[in-house]
Amino acid sequence: MMGRVNSLLAILLVVSTTSLLSDLAYCEDPYVYQTWDVKYATLSPLGVPQQVITINGQFPGPKINCTSNNNIVVNVFNNLDEPLLLTWNGVQQRKNSWQEGTLGTNCPILPGTNYTYKFQVKDQIGSYYYYPTTPLHRAMGGYGPLAVHSRDLIPVPFDLPEDDYFVFVGDWYKKGHASLRKLLDGGRSLGRPDGVIINGKGSFGTGNKTGGEDSPMFTMIAKKTYRYRFCNVGMKDSVNVRIQGHTMKIVEIEGSHTVQNVYDSLDVHLGQCYSVLVTADQKPESDYYLVASTRFSKKALTSTAIIRYVGGGQVPPSPELPPAPVGLPWSINQFRSFRWNLTASAARPNPQGSYHYGKIDITRTIKFVLKPFSKVGGKRRYSINGVSHVDPETPLKLAEYYGVADKVFKYDMIKDQPSDSDLAAEVIVAPNVINGTFRNFVEIILENHDKSVQTFHVSGYSFFAVAVEPGRWTEEKRKNYNLIDAISKHTVQVYPNSWTAIMTTLDNAGMWNMRSMSLERQYLGEQIYVSVLSPNRSLRDEYNLPDTQLLCGIVKDMPKPPPYSS
Ligand SMILES: *[C@@H]1O[C@H](CO)[C@@H](O)[C@H](O)[C@H]1NC(C)=O
Ligand SMILES: *[C@@H]1O[C@H](CO)[C@@H](O)[C@H](O)[C@H]1NC(C)=O
Ligand SMILES: *[C@@H]1O[C@H](CO)[C@@H](O)[C@H](O)[C@H]1NC(C)=O
Ligand SMILES: *[C@@H]1O[C@H](CO)[C@@H](O)[C@H](O)[C@H]1NC(C)=O
Ligand SMILES: *[C@@H]1O[C@H](CO)[C@@H](O)[C@H](O)[C@H]1NC(C)=O
Ligand SMILES: *[C@@H]1O[C@H](CO)[C@@H](O)[C@H](O)[C@H]1NC(C)=O
């Protein structure tokens, strides 16, 4: 008994002397455990049998349902025939880029082995998803939902919905990832996707008979209200979503509670998630189509799923689908209509600056220019400010931690604000890493010089998306920023020949990937890492390399560096 009390005391002492108060919570918050079997299966998302990545036999994979600050432990068994990594889109991994699951942070899980991800959904709420980051695996699925609920004591700015549905929409190719990889490695493009799928299925039950029976994908009780969480898990195109006869009230975007506007349809760009409330206020005997169709492409690809009221289904859905909006201005206006609800409570990763981001002095402005592809050695490459990223065998984060970064990559090969002649120079293929200074408040301009809509994801952070405008960015454009109630999010669209401005405080030490969510552009180099170092290797800023971390490349047999101090 005595011994136990003593060791408890010892723990308390350690905790108080190191003042790891936030980390005390880390120890005490509830755990959510999952064990995943990742393997191939033959499925026919578009009516043609093909190889798909399933998790525990499911496509999309199992749902992680948790609450702010929960500890998530996922033991992943890689039963594919290739190395695998999964990332947790939008989960911030505070102090913990060790669990980010990108090739710049982690060694992949080898076939026939397992690795356990351990992370905390610290101070977050909202709708997220996970997916494989190993080359083009996302083209085979392997993705699934992750919902973070508010803690019991925190009021949510809407009534508890009757039920809660993830709706994964996205374009899809019938070719396997190996053929797709061959196309890209051979210097070609992926070309147009073959269709759109909704929760892993093509146009089921549309009378089109492309792959299934007329069974409903979603059910609603008349008069009740449901939460639909739309995520675009596709590879190339923005997708517009809408529901016959029903409006959608937006309540959450990528972890922020929004002003609750009502929309007939929503543009969901690659990698983004939007939560809406839908009330079953139409004729209960009828079925309704939920429609997902690609935007901004020459010929839209469309898919539908059926929503049925409980006890309904007597009247088939009207074959007349609600039309998609037309043109870019509609989409830009919709982006501008999204506002953060400043009075709604919710966990937020960086509450200090949250309400006042418009008043913080910018310490650094970085402009990332997204160009059309360049030819390097006769093959297509995409670049950021003249460098086209490749992943070295030794993950960047590990090289840095072990003190051998200079053997693996060079910091700051690109300029913060490249000139036209910098951009005209030959593209360099190399790891693209910039050094970010801990706690700097940065303004990042994403300038799209290409003809297609792009989306960009920032890992490790949420940022304020303060402006989206046509043309080129100049400092004078700052007067058009929304410095009051911009949405704090992690994935933002950049319209053709337009720019997007985002702002964030680099308060999360780690190695963080910023990437195009277009699979082809990302694979061919349109991504970058931002290294944010803890200035004095302090445990307050970043966790130590976990004992279980997989090692590879030149650090594989190196002695472990001394741990961070507290
Ligand atoms: C998910 O978690 C929330 C909050 O903890 C809970 O209310 C809900 O019932 C859970 N849903 C499922 C499907 O487990
Ligand atoms: C692999 O799975 C086993 C059995 O569940 C577990 O004990 C072990 O810790 C896992 N290994 C890793 C590296 O996660
Ligand atoms: C914002 O959230 C508050 C608090 O929950 C809620 O009362 C209010 O209706 C919301 N405002 C809007 C415009 O959605
Ligand atoms: C049926 O398939 C055609 C061709 O793919 C498509 O244009 C149409 O929108 C589909 N109809 C429905 C109701 O999904
Ligand atoms: C990164 O920047 C910080 C602060 O400007 C500097 O102290 C540090 O040496 C730089 N690190 C590298 C690897 O360039
Ligand atoms: C280094 O750590 C100490 C205490 O751990 C802290 O007070 C100091 O501010 C840190 N230095 C920097 C540059 O952050």
Side-chain angles (χ1 to χ4, degrees):
M1 202 50 199
M2 222 23 223
R4 223 167 115 189
V5 169
N6 277 339
S7 57
L8 246 176
L9 271 175
I11 290 169
L12 283 173
L13 260 173
V14 168
V15 166
S16 58
T17 51
T18 56
S19 68
L20 287 173
L21 278 181
S22 56
D23 299 317
L24 183 62
Y26 181 79
C27 303
E28 286 185 336
D29 280 298
Y31 280 74
V32 174
Y33 294 96
Q34 298 217 358
T35 303
W36 287 358
D37 169 19
V38 182
K39 66 171 183 229
Y40 300 119
T42 302
L43 297 175
S44 307
L46 290 175
V48 181
Q50 67 183 106
Q51 204 176 42
V52 170
I53 295 176
T54 59
I55 300 180
N56 295 351
Q58 302 170 45
F59 171 58
K63 180 171 171 180
I64 298 180
N65 186 44
C66 60
T67 300
S68 301
N69 292 357
N70 281 179
N71 295 294
I72 315 297
V73 180
V74 187
N75 190 353
V76 176
F77 286 80
N78 175 9
N79 291 317
L80 308 177
D81 56 359
E82 293 180 347
L84 171 75
L85 276 179
L86 296 170
T87 195
W88 319 88
N89 208 47
V91 172
Q92 287 196 10
Q93 309 291 9
R94 302 294 299 175
K95 312 180 191 181
N96 199 9
S97 65
W98 306 119
Q99 305 294 324
E100 179 56 24
T102 53
L103 286 163
T105 53
N106 294 74
C107 301
I109 310 166
L110 297 177
T113 70
N114 66 304
Y115 170 75
T116 307
Y117 287 92
K118 293 190 185 121
F119 57 89
Q120 190 184 20
V121 285
K122 181 92 184 119
D123 298 328
Q124 289 193 270
I125 55 117
S127 314
Y128 306 99
Y129 69 101
Y130 55 82
Y131 66 85
T133 49
T134 23
L136 292 199
H137 281 151
R138 187 150 64 95
M140 282 194 295
Y143 52 68
L146 193 162
V148 189
H149 298 270
S150 284
R151 289 193 287 172
D152 281 347
L153 296 173
I154 312 285
V156 174
F158 47 89
D159 291 339
L160 185 69
E162 185 66 20
D163 209 340
D164 185 326
Y165 299 127
F166 266 88
V167 189
F168 281 167
V169 297
D171 50 20
W172 187 262
Y173 291 88
K174 288 180 192 164
K175 290 187 200 77
H177 78 301
S179 331
L180 294 175
R181 235 187 251 163
K182 213 177 275 169
L183 280 175
L184 296 183
D185 293 342
R188 319 244 309 272
S189 155
L190 289 184
R192 273 171 53 79
D194 297 305
V196 167
I197 59 175
I198 303 175
N199 285 351
K201 298 186 171 88
S203 263
F204 264 59
T206 58
N208 270 0
K209 300 289 181 204
T210 47
E213 73 288 4
D214 287 336
S215 62
M217 191 178 279
F218 307 101
T219 54
M220 301 203 283
I221 298 169
K223 307 274 187 284
K224 300 284 189 190
T225 297
Y226 291 78
R227 182 174 186 167
Y228 286 77
R229 304 175 189 246
F230 291 102
C231 297
N232 184 341
V233 294
M235 291 159 261
K236 195 158 193 148
D237 288 316
S238 301
V239 170
N240 181 271
V241 293
R242 49 209 186 272
I243 301 175
Q244 268 180 338
H246 295 75
T247 55
M248 304 185 283
K249 184 195 273 187
I250 191 127
V251 292
E252 178 252 337
I253 299 178
E254 294 166 27
S256 296
H257 283 139
T258 62
V259 167
Q260 298 178 3
N261 302 326
V262 175
Y263 299 91
D264 287 328
S265 80
L266 281 177
D267 276 353
V268 184
H269 304 277
L270 291 174
Q272 299 183 333
C273 292
Y274 296 79
S275 280
V276 301
L277 297 181
V278 177
T279 300
D281 56 4
Q282 297 299 303
K283 287 196 297 265
E285 62 277 15
S286 177
D287 284 351
Y288 300 91
Y289 281 132
L290 182 156
V291 187
S293 58
T294 56
R295 281 274 267 148
F296 317 120
S297 50
K298 283 195 193 78
K299 189 171 169 293
L301 301 165
T302 302
S303 193
T304 54
I306 287 182
I307 298 179
R308 177 167 297 171
Y309 285 28
V310 172
Q314 292 82 6
V315 181
S318 159
E320 204 168 309
L321 301 182
V326 179
L328 281 172
W330 187 95
S331 194
I332 296 175
N333 285 337
Q334 182 166 73
F335 170 85
R336 290 181 180 153
S337 72
F338 297 138
R339 299 294 164 117
W340 197 16
N341 182 343
L342 297 178
T343 57
S345 325
R348 308 196 170 87
N350 41 2
Q352 305 82 357
S354 290
Y355 289 116
H356 306 295
Y357 69 92
K359 300 209 172 89
I360 305 174
D361 287 334
I362 295 166
T363 27
R364 182 171 173 188
T365 298
I366 310 172
K367 187 168 84 173
F368 289 141
V369 177
L370 315 173
K371 288 203 309 177
F373 67 84
S374 314
K375 286 273 174 105
V376 179
K379 293 180 179 173
R380 284 171 183 238
R381 295 295 306 184
Y382 288 94
S383 59
I384 293 176
N385 297 6
V387 174
S388 180
H389 177 80
V390 282
D391 293 304
E393 197 201 341
T394 310
L396 307 164
K397 176 69 191 166
L398 289 174
E400 193 176 59
Y401 187 81
Y402 276 79
V404 290
D406 57 332
K407 297 203 172 67
V408 174
F409 65 93
K410 241 173 89 183
Y411 290 94
D412 301 323
M413 291 182 64
I414 63 164
K415 290 195 185 142
D416 277 5
Q417 296 183 46
S419 65
D420 287 347
S421 67
D422 292 330
L423 293 169
E426 184 143 357
V427 163
I428 297 167
V429 179
N432 202 358
V433 186
I434 59 171
N435 178 13
T437 306
F438 191 53
R439 301 221 169 97
N440 263 7
F441 185 67
V442 295
E443 172 192 45
I444 299 174
I445 313 300
L446 298 158
E447 207 173 80
N448 183 358
H449 293 191
D450 208 345
K451 293 193 294 285
S452 56
V453 176
Q454 299 195 42
T455 58
F456 236 75
H457 171 79
V458 179
S459 64
Y461 294 91
S462 58
F463 52 73
F464 297 96
V466 295
V468 157
E469 288 202 6
R472 298 286 159 93
W473 178 84
T474 59
E475 285 184 15
E476 293 80 76
K477 305 276 183 173
R478 286 188 184 132
K479 65 180 188 305
N480 302 345
Y481 286 4
N482 174 359
L483 294 179
I484 296 163
D485 56 359
I487 302 282
S488 169
K489 66 204 309 286
H490 55 73
T491 303
V492 73
Q493 67 268 34
V494 197
Y495 293 98
N497 297 309
S498 302
W499 55 269
T500 294
I502 64 177
M503 293 173 150
T504 196
T505 303
L506 297 182
D507 58 0
N508 192 14
M511 178 70 78
W512 303 110
N513 189 218
M514 285 189 65
R515 55 183 172 267
S516 168
M517 288 305 293
S518 150
L519 196 54
E520 161 174 277
R521 299 183 80 108
Q522 180 197 319
Y523 183 83
L524 294 177
E526 198 173 275
Q527 51 171 316
I528 189 166
Y529 281 84
V530 183
S531 160
V532 181
L533 290 170
S534 162
N536 40 18
R537 286 172 85 92
S538 164
L539 269 178
R540 280 209 222 163
D541 306 334
E542 187 172 28
Y543 297 133
N544 272 314
L545 177 78
D547 288 338
T548 52
Q549 201 74 352
L550 300 176
L551 298 174
C552 55
I554 60 171
V555 302
K556 194 168 191 323
D557 300 311
M558 281 178 65
K560 273 211 175 139
Y564 284 10
S565 59
S566 42

